[in-house]
């Protein structure tokens, strides 16, 4: 009952913003730090993030009034941009201009200023909104050549303003073993530690703004890819069905088989990576936002095959998929 109320509340939010989405002038490239639906949707085209593969074959039982026969269809695997995850310091400061009002009321973020140089504390607001490119992939998916995303474009799946208690106070996750045990659940590589996943709140011990924003984005992905978390959110989780669809596993930091990030703002990249996304000596100066706000598309792996009968009998894979 509670999850239904949250879902209805989200639906109300997105409906209240639907008119501005159609009235806002569109562009195909970001201007400064700002992006919109057209910018985001166009970014799925010329890039290597999808990683499209033919991985096997599916078997179906098709019956008519006269007989039953076994039909086959090709099994494919590829990544899909599910949501756009944005992190920023101030209320209504999301780079995605069309949805800035969705997270209205979020606490003001903080970062290093001349008066706070003694601290490494950074606080970020965050959101996860359905990727508008899903509409394009769903249209193609009806032909059986791509898989259907479990998300809906423009629908909010996480808003830090709604998750006030956990996001601003870190409760109760600050007492979890993942929060109190060193080296447990960290975003790091080659000795470069960006931050801890737990507690999954807006507070990060990190002076580098890009790294702090990336850690917060990773925390949001960690929350929404799991069921039953002590946060207010709408989960991106579906059990594997028997109709030839295989959905993504939970996001795991540092594991490119479970997810990939594509930067959208302050600049749009045509490739995907995981955090940390550079060498230990990288300054990430080309990715720093002058407004301290960032957006990434979260890509996750799917596998599917076109339905050819009434009953799914099974499948044979010759290439291991990321959903297994």
């Amino acid at each position: 009952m509670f999850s239904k109320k949250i879902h209805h509340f989200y639906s109300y939010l997105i409906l209240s913003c639907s008119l501005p989405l159609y009235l806002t002038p569109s562009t195909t490239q970001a201007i400064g730090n700002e992006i919109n639906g057209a910018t985001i949707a166009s970014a799925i085209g010329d890039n290597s993030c999808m990683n499209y593969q033919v991985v096997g074959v599916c078997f179906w039982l098709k019956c008519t009034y006269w007989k039953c026969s076994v039909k086959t269809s090709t099994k494919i695997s590829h990544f899909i941009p599910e949501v756009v995850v944005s992190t920023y310091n101030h209320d209504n400061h999301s780079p995605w201009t069309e949805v800035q009002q969705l997270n209205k009321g979020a606490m003001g973020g903080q970062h290093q200023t001349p008066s706070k140089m003694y601290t490494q504390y950074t606080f970020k607001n965050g959101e996860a909104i359905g990727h508008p490119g899903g509409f394009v992939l769903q249209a193609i998916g009806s032909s059986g050549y791509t898989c259907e995303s479990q998300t809906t474009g423009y629908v909010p799946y996480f808003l830090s303003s709604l998750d006030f208690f956990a996001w601003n106070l870190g409760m109760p996750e600050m007492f979890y073993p993942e929060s109190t045990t060193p080296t447990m659940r960290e975003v790091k590589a080659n000795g470069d530690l960006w931050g801890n996943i737990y507690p999954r709140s807006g507070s990060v011990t990190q002076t580098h703004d890009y790294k702090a924003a990336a850690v917060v984005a990773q925390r949001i992905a960690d929350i929404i890819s799991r069921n039953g978390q002590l946060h207010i959110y709408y989960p991106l989780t579906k059990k594997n069905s028997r109709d030839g669809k295989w959905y993504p596993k939970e996001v795991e930091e540092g594991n490119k088989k479970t997810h990939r990030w594509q930067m959208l703002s302050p600049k749009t990249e045509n490739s995907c990576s995981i955090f940390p996304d550079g060498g230990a000596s990288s300054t990430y100066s080309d990715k720093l936002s002058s407004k301290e706000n960032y957006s990434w598309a979260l890509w996750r792996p799917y596998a599917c095959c076109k339905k050819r009968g009434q009953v799914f009998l099974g499948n044979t894979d010759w290439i291991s998929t990321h959903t297994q």
Side-chain angles (χ1 to χ4, degrees), residues 236-255:
L236 306 184
T237 56
K238 283 187 177 180
K239 293 183 179 180
N240 286 349
S241 60
R242 297 189 61 186
D243 58 354
K245 297 179 181 179
W246 292 264
Y247 295 100
K249 292 183 178 181
E250 299 171 343
V251 168
E252 180 183 344
E253 66 277 5
N255 187 348

Side-chain angles (χ1 to χ4, degrees), residues 173 198 200 222-224 226-233:
E173 291 185 350
Y198 280 79
R200 293 172 298 181
D222 196 84
I223 294 170
I224 63 177
R226 290 165 168 80
N227 280 318
Q229 306 302 294
L230 295 179
H231 292 263
I232 298 178
Y233 69 108

Side-chain angles (χ1 to χ4, degrees), residues 45-320:
D46 184 22
N47 62 55
S48 58
C49 299
M50 182 173 284
N51 193 28
Y52 190 96
Q53 297 182 88
V54 176
V55 296
V57 61
C58 294
F59 303 94
W60 304 85
L61 180 64
K62 184 177 182 180
C63 294
T64 65
Y65 289 109
W66 311 108
K67 65 175 182 178
C68 290
S69 59
V70 176
K71 300 292 185 178
T72 62
S73 60
T74 302
K75 181 179 179 180
I76 61 173
S77 173
H78 62 87
F79 281 72
I80 291 179
E82 290 187 326
V83 293
V84 175
V85 179
S86 300
T87 65
Y88 42 94
N89 285 22
H90 307 291
D91 190 12
N92 298 335
H93 207 205
S94 170
W96 191 350
T97 57
E98 298 158 334
V99 300
Q100 286 179 342
Q101 297 300 315
L102 287 181
N103 208 20
K104 188 174 180 62
M107 293 281 289
Q110 302 177 38
H111 188 55
Q112 289 248 117
T113 63
S115 62
K116 298 190 299 178
M117 292 302 291
Y118 60 87
T119 181
Q120 294 183 342
Y121 172 80
T122 300
F123 181 86
K124 295 280 186 182
N125 298 306
E127 65 192 26
I129 312 294
H131 196 293
F135 292 124
V136 178
L137 291 177
Q138 287 178 14
I140 302 174
S142 61
S143 64
Y145 294 106
T146 63
C147 301
E148 182 180 353
S149 175
Q150 63 183 328
T151 64
T152 303
Y154 295 105
V155 170
Y157 292 88
F158 178 85
L159 299 172
S160 60
S161 59
L162 295 182
D163 193 35
F164 179 86
F165 188 72
W167 194 254
N168 290 277
L169 303 179
M171 297 289 289
E173 291 185 350
M174 66 168 55
F175 302 110
Y176 283 18
E178 295 90 339
S179 302
T180 58
T181 306
T183 73
M184 192 174 182
R185 300 300 307 275
E186 295 176 336
V187 179
K188 63 180 179 180
N190 302 319
D192 187 12
L193 174 63
W194 286 22
N196 299 335
I197 296 297
Y198 280 79
R200 293 172 298 181
S201 67
S203 301
V204 186
T205 303
Q206 175 61 253
T207 59
H208 196 288
D209 193 62
Y210 173 75
K211 295 179 180 181
V215 170
V216 171
Q218 190 72 51
R219 290 175 177 176
I220 294 175
D222 196 84
I223 294 170
I224 63 177
S225 66
R226 290 165 168 80
N227 280 318
Q229 306 302 294
L230 295 179
H231 292 263
I232 298 178
Y233 69 108
Y234 197 74
L236 306 184
T237 56
K238 283 187 177 180
K239 293 183 179 180
N240 286 349
S241 60
R242 297 189 61 186
D243 58 354
K245 297 179 181 179
W246 292 264
Y247 295 100
K249 292 183 178 181
E250 299 171 343
V251 168
E252 180 183 344
E253 66 277 5
N255 187 348
K256 66 179 181 180
K257 292 183 178 181
T258 64
H259 73 291
R260 294 174 185 179
W261 295 101
Q262 177 192 14
M263 180 171 239
L264 300 174
S265 174
K267 70 174 186 177
T268 302
E269 296 183 336
N270 293 327
S271 61
C272 286
S273 58
I274 56 174
F275 302 135
D277 53 350
S281 60
S282 176
T283 61
Y284 300 94
S285 57
D286 60 328
K287 297 184 178 183
L288 279 170
S289 167
S290 59
K291 297 182 179 180
E292 298 180 327
N293 57 356
Y294 305 83
S295 288
W296 294 269
L298 175 63
W299 293 68
R300 297 175 69 199
Y302 287 70
C304 62
C305 49
K306 187 175 182 178
K307 189 173 183 179
R308 293 290 308 278
Q310 295 92 346
V311 180
F312 177 65
L313 298 176
N315 65 285
T316 299
D317 294 343
W318 52 72
I319 298 177
S320 177

